[in-house]
Amino acid sequence: MTADASVLRAVERDASAPAAPVIVACRGLRKAYGDRVAVAGVDLAIRRGERFGLVGPNGAGKTTLVSMLCGLVAPDAGEIELLGETFDRTRRDLKASIGYVPQETALYPDLTGRENLRFFGRLRGLRGAALTREVEAALEVVGLADRARDFVIRYSGGMQRRLNIAVGLLGRPQILALDEPTLGVDPHSRHTILETVAGLAREGTAVVYTTHYMHEVERLCDRIAVLVDGVVVAEDTTRGVLAGAGAHGNVGFDLDPPGEAAGMADACRSLPGVLAARAFDGRVELAAADGAAVVRHVLAVAENRGVGLANLEVRPPDLESVFLALTGTQVRD
């Protein structure tokens, strides 16, 4: 889409889009910091109850884009519509409909979980019985009601992330933006967070979700946008992005000895059907048009080089391979 295109019409043409009203849209959104352009003319539209994934390499502009959509950063150009109205940082009435969960936890460690929520709830204008209801409801949603009296300093990293999400839920926002919410958390907390986000969307909350974890995007998101150098290079359902981005399969294996991984990757780059190869931590990952067909060539190269292979995997196309195809960068947990 071009900067002056109608984002609403583009979304309505997508037969896979949920039949719900557009709740937030941006057109031609741009932001630069000095000579570095962080976001370069982005158009997006997100519907009520939609789980929208925003993915891209480090420095792609994801956090800047989300910050503009939440009214935390002023764009240099372009416009944002929220709930059908023009939105900027001065519209406090519209800001109240947004919940924002930043990458870094913003909590007071010497207060209890409940005290943190009551403090942030008052900042959002909640008082009295309404504040109590919102705090207790948020604790239930993130599964921390039984730990509400504990000081946050005693929470695990995953629990702090979940409490951070609870802060974003106060006031029952219509749009919830989460920036890398599962970064560094344990598997149980990650599962709880994903289930929480899915439940919120089912209740009608529009979710903007940025992450480096491609399996989360595939599990959670209705649509995704891939951002590279501040530009959206692909936007569609997961299936649509896979079909349109030249996605490919992957072949991965460990080397014995591990020090031969770089040489093995170099040797594999010239094999028929291999699109890209990289080595890391004694392992080689190949992007291949047909992973199964490439394996026999890989085995021959390994035999010629006198190295052993272990943990050989052939994986079908997924969002990890889309990343490699679109950005030249592979995102890994």
Side-chain angles (χ1 to χ4, degrees):
M1 290 183 289
T2 60
D4 60 351
S6 168
V7 179
L8 181 57
R9 286 198 302 271
V11 172
E12 289 175 340
R13 285 196 300 268
D14 182 359
S16 64
V22 171
I23 195 169
V24 58
C26 62
R27 301 174 180 85
L29 211 58
R30 177 184 172 85
K31 182 66 180 181
Y33 299 98
D35 295 332
R36 184 178 69 84
V37 178
V39 175
V42 167
D43 299 345
L44 289 176
I46 302 166
R47 293 177 177 270
R48 187 179 303 278
E50 185 173 30
R51 298 167 294 185
F52 189 89
L54 188 61
V55 298
N58 286 331
K62 302 186 299 296
T63 296
T64 298
L65 177 56
V66 169
S67 297
M68 288 191 287
L69 292 178
C70 293
L72 300 174
V73 172
D76 296 331
E79 61 179 359
I80 301 170
E81 285 187 6
L82 185 62
L83 304 176
E85 299 186 45
T86 300
F87 175 57
D88 61 40
R89 300 177 70 191
T90 66
R91 292 293 303 269
R92 292 189 177 183
D93 57 329
L94 293 178
K95 272 189 177 182
S97 65
I98 303 171
Y100 176 59
V101 181
Q103 284 188 36
E104 301 298 328
T105 54
L107 303 167
Y108 290 96
D110 295 328
L111 297 179
T112 68
R114 181 177 284 114
E115 287 169 344
N116 266 276
L117 292 183
R118 291 188 67 85
F119 172 78
F120 286 109
R122 285 192 291 269
L123 291 182
R124 289 189 70 98
L126 296 170
R127 298 289 187 274
L131 174 60
T132 298
R133 284 195 303 271
E134 290 283 334
V135 167
E136 299 309 313
L139 287 167
E140 288 289 344
V141 168
V142 300
L144 289 174
D146 61 335
R147 299 294 300 272
R149 296 182 179 180
D150 292 352
F151 292 107
V152 168
I153 198 170
R154 297 178 182 171
Y155 282 15
S156 67
M159 291 171 62
Q160 291 186 25
R161 288 277 183 182
R162 286 152 59 188
L163 188 64
N164 214 38
I165 292 174
V167 172
L169 296 178
L170 296 172
R172 305 192 181 188
Q174 298 186 58
I175 303 122
L176 181 65
L178 302 104
D179 196 359
E180 301 281 359
T182 65
L183 191 64
V185 306
D186 60 274
H188 172 72
S189 289
R190 178 174 292 183
H191 174 77
T192 300
I193 288 169
L194 293 177
E195 288 298 307
T196 297
V197 172
L200 293 168
R202 286 192 295 269
E203 294 174 4
T205 303
V207 175
V208 182
Y209 193 92
T210 79
T211 183
H212 280 121
Y213 300 137
M214 295 299 99
H215 64 275
E216 291 185 1
V217 175
E218 291 181 292
R219 169 181 169 181
L220 180 68
C221 296
D222 303 307
R223 284 193 305 130
I224 60 174
V226 181
L227 197 66
V228 179
D229 294 331
V231 177
V232 174
V233 297
E235 180 194 349
D236 206 334
T237 62
T238 299
R239 181 178 297 179
V241 169
L242 286 171
H248 45 71
N250 290 85
V251 177
F253 49 87
D254 295 326
L255 265 292
D256 182 17
E260 294 295 319
M264 185 68 179
D266 288 339
C268 288
R269 286 191 179 94
S270 60
L271 292 178
V274 172
L275 306 175
R278 67 189 292 263
F280 60 94
D281 298 333
R283 187 169 179 82
V284 173
E285 292 279 349
L286 307 177
D290 184 343
V294 163
V295 168
R296 62 186 180 89
H297 297 298
V298 170
L299 294 175
V301 170
E303 183 177 0
N304 290 337
R305 296 179 66 86
V307 297
L309 306 184
N311 300 320
L312 178 65
E313 296 177 309
V314 180
R315 298 185 296 275
D318 57 15
L319 286 180
E320 194 84 24
S321 65
V322 167
F323 241 85
L324 191 57
L326 291 175
T327 73
T329 300
Q330 189 153 11
V331 181
R332 299 187 60 84
D333 281 15

